[in-house]
Amino acid sequence: MYDIIIRAGRQGDGRLVDIAIQQGKIAALGTLPETATAQQTLDLGGRVHVSAGWIDGHTHCYPASPLYHDEPDKVGVTSGVTTVIDAGSTGADDVDDFQRLAAGCKTRVHALLNISRIGLLRQNELADSRDLDMDLASAAIARHPGFIVGIKARMSGSVVGENGLQPLHMAKALQQAHGRLPLMVHVGNTPPDLDEIVALLGDGDLLTHCFNGKPNRILTPAGELRQAVREAMQRGLLLDIGHGGASFSFEVAELAIAQGILPRTISSDIYCKNRIKGPVYSLAHVMSKFLAIGMTLEQVLACVTYHAADALRLPGKGRLEVGADADLTLFEVMSGPTLFTDTEAGARNGDRQLQPLAALVGGELVLTHYGKSHHAFCV
């Protein structure tokens, strides 16, 4: 007898699948015999979609952060997201506190360590060289090998001040010292110029806010991909959405996608304000925007499952396969007109909206607010 059997879940490609879960792992999948039994059965009846658990690779969910804060489970399991990565809210000074808090959450929580020891204590956390301490950062990474999964550097003029590229050079040195940990780099206002930033990036590095509408963006004024970005992508640079409250332009996204420049990962850059008041609301809402501008459901799901798991080196995550962690997202694809907005006063009409019903983390079922009020499957 299995712990849980999910029957007739619809995958992103439209095919149906049965999934058996035992001791927090996927034990079998495909078409299970009718004689297979479990302590709990979820019959999705082909009406509800199932995918590997969604991973939001750029959030701000350290509750004690004075600038951008939220609660991991609010942006996580109660929104259908099984794994959240906090992108630099904490540095060496406060990551221990965050780790203790995260250990008590139902959502799987990880951190990208801010290379500033103070984290997001203030907006210009990389402007004072006294806060850029390699030894403290290295020690923090060593203390939390399962919790800290990468490094974050916010390379905007308003953040780095007179330090220019120095913080990024430090982040790259730290990355090399710890087995090439994933490095996520935020791009915003100049200086430094994007060309200078991406010249230092390559294999496996993540450029977040990749479709922002600011002058320091990946496209030239003529709408073509900057040569420096193209060369960095040829070296292995990955594009991450990092929507947030000021970093996503439909126009840029559409121009890029039309040229075959797709995001590798879709992330929300969510925190309490843009979750409650928009324009982010949830990872599902951000994903839905990409359905509205022409990406397929399979492409969108890949960006929050196995692409994200691979980019952030999360073993056992992101794939429906025997032996993987039983982290799953159950959701509906709702039909109906929806107006989506970006952060540049742009808007697009869509006719599909992803609506999460539940998240399973290690086989433990957590219903979303929508799932609690919607009898979409039989338990």
Side-chain angles (χ1 to χ4, degrees), residues 90-101 140 143-144 147:
T90 57
D93 288 354
D94 49 6
V95 71
D96 295 353
D97 180 62
F98 186 28
Q99 189 278 328
R100 286 190 293 269
L101 181 149
R143 284 197 306 275
H144 302 291
F147 179 61

Side-chain angles (χ1 to χ4, degrees), residues 89-163:
S89 299
T90 57
D93 288 354
D94 49 6
V95 71
D96 295 353
D97 180 62
F98 186 28
Q99 189 278 328
R100 286 190 293 269
L101 181 149
C105 295
K106 292 183 178 181
T107 310
R108 299 191 193 271
V109 184
H110 301 280
L112 301 180
L113 185 74
N114 196 312
I115 57 170
S116 170
R117 62 180 294 174
I118 66 171
L120 288 178
L121 189 61
R122 59 174 187 266
Q123 285 282 10
N124 62 340
E125 79 270 15
L126 302 180
D128 189 336
S129 295
R130 292 171 297 182
D131 295 326
L132 306 180
D133 191 311
M134 280 278 290
D135 291 338
L136 285 178
S138 187
I141 292 169
R143 284 197 306 275
H144 302 291
F147 179 61
I148 296 174
V149 296
I151 304 161
K152 175 73 179 295
R154 298 203 309 147
M155 297 304 297
S156 290
S158 56
V159 178
V160 302
E162 298 299 317
N163 280 330

Side-chain angles (χ1 to χ4, degrees), residues 50-57 59 72-85 102 105-110 283 287 304-305 308-309 314 316-319 325-330 356 358-366 368:
V50 61
S51 72
W54 295 351
I55 300 165
D56 194 341
T59 73
D73 284 342
K74 286 187 176 179
V75 301
V77 289
T78 58
S79 298
V81 178
T82 58
T83 299
V84 298
I85 315 296
C105 295
K106 292 183 178 181
T107 310
R108 299 191 193 271
V109 184
H110 301 280
L283 179 62
M287 293 162 65
V304 299
T305 56
L314 302 174
K317 306 290 188 294
R319 287 176 171 82
D325 291 339
D327 291 5
L328 309 172
T329 298
L330 308 182
L360 283 90
V361 180
E364 180 181 350
L365 181 69
V366 180
T368 66

Side-chain angles (χ1 to χ4, degrees), residues 9 25 49 68 70 136 154 169 187 253 303 317 363:
K25 301 288 184 179
H49 283 75
Y68 307 110
D70 213 321
L136 285 178
R154 298 203 309 147
H169 285 295
V187 60
C303 289
K317 306 290 188 294

Side-chain angles (χ1 to χ4, degrees), residues 304-326:
V304 299
T305 56
Y306 65 92
H307 285 181
D310 291 351
L312 295 159
R313 300 186 197 170
L314 302 174
K317 306 290 188 294
R319 287 176 171 82
L320 293 181
E321 59 187 23
V322 173
D325 291 339

Side-chain angles (χ1 to χ4, degrees), residues 210-250:
C210 67
F211 290 161
N212 78 73
K214 301 168 186 176
N216 203 26
R217 60 192 181 195
I218 67 169
L219 301 181
T220 67
E224 299 173 347
L225 186 66
R226 288 198 195 193
Q227 183 62 28
V229 176
R230 186 180 304 278
E231 292 171 358
M233 291 178 68
Q234 290 170 350
R235 295 192 299 271
L237 177 68
L238 307 176
L239 299 182
D240 173 63
I241 294 302
H243 187 300
S247 300
F248 177 71
S249 162
F250 275 126

